[in-house]
Amino acid sequence: MPSGAKIISTGELLVEFVSHRKGCGLETISEFSGPYPSGAPAIFIDQAARMGATTGFFGTVGDDGFGRTLVGRLKEDGVDISGIATDPDRTTGTAFVSYYEDGSRTFIFHLKDTAAEEITFSPDALPDGELILHVSAASLGAAKLRKVILQAVEAVLARGGRISCDPNARPELMRDDAARHALEQIVAQSWCLMPSTSDLGFLFPGLEENAAVEKMLAAKAEIIALKRGAEGATVISGAQRHDFAPHKVEELDPTGAGDGFCGTFVGLLAQGVPLAEAGRRANAAGAIAVTRRGPMEGNSTPEEIDAFLASGEA
Ligand code: ATP
Ligand code: MG
């Protein structure tokens, strides 16, 4: 049975199409697979639910097959979907992604004027009991999503709840002053921060990693997870610091690894799992995620994580 604090999230729901050929740059004809359920906050919440946490999502889809596949997946994996609306006048958000040989990727997002940005959220809809709201900062680039997220943050804090945040400080997003301001505000109010090491330079220009961590801990953050991509991860809280070496895996599709890591970590912390164990399992979940094509397809069950960890120890 799910237990502990309820984790909620809100933001863009979308389906993604992944090119099977590297280097097509989304401008030459290629073969794609999809629709894969996606959207950073959706990947996060799906993985937190898989970990056994009590979860809920606020978002909007269109009245179409893409929307049904998204909502169906979240429901099947145990997310409370009562906060997901269907907009009869708009289609579900979509994205296309293609990789280059060096591992970099190019995206085309179609979210503006789709159902993805039409979230209706009212603080009255917040569930009772202990709450954790997760914010995926990539959503803050869209003015409509930013407004809903800031309202949700305020409402959850007013209720004595906690905020977890993945501050994906993408340069394209940070060019927008309003987005940067919202991100800084949320980072300063977060209980748990899970930046990639590549985010630190944007969040704390000129600071070394340890100084940036000190700065986060000097604000409201009690728990920091540093995501190091193929270099593993580090989790820090109070006097505790745990470094996790990377698992050796073949990277097929890295999109979603960060969200799967965060969903595992917060999903387990919300149920009272100790920091070191939550970090160890999140590091494994991130490694599993990169081996599978499709952003949410990379999510894993506790049993799969157990088996993966056991195989590494053999
Ligand atoms: P995203 O690219 O989705 O924004 P991110 O940058 O937030 O992701 P990453 O650091 O790329 O997050 O990945 C999250 C975690 O997944 C890492 O900290 C690590 O634990 C694991 N991971 C990611 N890539 C690899 C890899 N190639 N090999 C082993 N583990 C990996
Ligand atoms: Mg990454």
Side-chain angles (χ1 to χ4, degrees):
M1 275 298 283
S3 60
K6 180 163 186 176
I7 306 169
I8 56 170
S9 193
T10 183
E12 68 281 16
L13 286 169
L14 58 107
V15 293
E16 194 169 303
F17 293 85
V18 183
S19 165
H20 287 206
R21 188 147 56 90
K22 287 189 177 158
C24 80
L26 298 178
E27 56 189 73
T28 54
I29 294 170
S30 179
E31 284 180 6
F32 288 79
S33 59
Y36 291 112
S38 188
I43 301 167
F44 166 90
I45 208 73
D46 180 84
Q47 181 68 357
R50 283 171 172 235
M51 292 305 104
T54 311
T55 55
F57 197 84
F58 295 89
T60 305
V61 294
D63 185 9
D64 51 34
F66 293 168
R68 285 189 286 279
T69 193
L70 265 164
V71 176
R73 172 68 66 85
L74 294 178
K75 187 175 178 198
E76 186 183 312
D77 289 342
V79 178
D80 176 353
I81 53 157
S82 58
I84 300 182
T86 301
D87 185 331
D89 299 323
R90 291 181 177 80
T91 51
T92 302
T94 54
F96 291 80
V97 63
S98 161
Y99 292 94
Y100 294 98
E101 289 297 342
D102 67 359
S104 64
R105 61 192 167 184
T106 182
F107 274 108
I108 296 177
F109 283 102
H110 180 58
L111 300 179
K112 197 164 183 293
D113 301 326
T114 71
E117 296 195 351
E118 298 301 317
I119 303 173
T120 45
F121 167 81
S122 134
D124 301 338
L126 287 178
D128 293 334
E130 204 188 333
L131 276 184
I132 296 171
L133 169 69
H134 178 75
V135 176
S136 180
S139 316
L140 297 171
K144 282 183 175 176
L145 295 178
R146 183 161 67 235
K147 191 170 161 216
V148 171
I149 291 169
L150 287 171
Q151 278 172 353
V153 166
E154 199 182 316
V156 167
L157 289 173
R159 286 261 308 267
R162 289 174 281 173
I163 309 297
S164 65
C165 177
D166 178 350
N168 314 291
R170 306 227 155 90
E172 4 12 311
L173 166 65
M174 291 306 111
R175 272 203 296 270
D176 182 331
D177 278 351
R180 177 181 263 283
H181 180 71
L183 175 59
E184 285 169 355
Q185 202 181 322
I186 293 168
V187 164
Q189 291 174 315
S190 291
W191 149 78
C192 175
L193 284 168
M194 298 167 282
S196 296
T197 39
S198 58
D199 295 332
L200 294 178
F202 286 105
L203 290 170
F204 308 103
L207 287 191
E208 302 254 335
E209 183 181 299
N210 286 340
V213 168
E214 284 308 316
K215 195 143 189 178
M216 289 187 270
L217 291 170
K220 201 176 167 184
E222 292 175 21
I223 297 171
I224 311 287
L226 296 176
K227 293 174 289 178
R228 304 182 187 279
E231 307 293 312
T234 298
V235 300
I236 298 162
S237 180
Q240 288 189 66
R241 176 189 170 112
H242 307 279
D243 291 295
F244 300 99
H247 294 279
K248 285 198 178 33
V249 289
E250 199 155 325
E251 196 171 290
L252 175 69
D253 181 358
T255 304
D259 306 311
F261 177 101
C262 295
T264 307
F265 190 57
V266 178
L268 294 174
L269 290 177
Q271 297 173 85
V273 172
L275 185 76
E277 180 62 6
R280 186 172 87 100
R281 299 183 76 82
N283 186 48
I288 294 170
V290 304
T291 65
R292 299 181 184 164
R293 180 178 283 133
M296 200 184 285
E297 312 313 300
N299 281 355
S300 44
T301 61
E303 295 74 25
E304 285 170 326
I305 295 174
D306 282 340
F308 182 81
L309 285 167
S311 70
E313 282 157 13

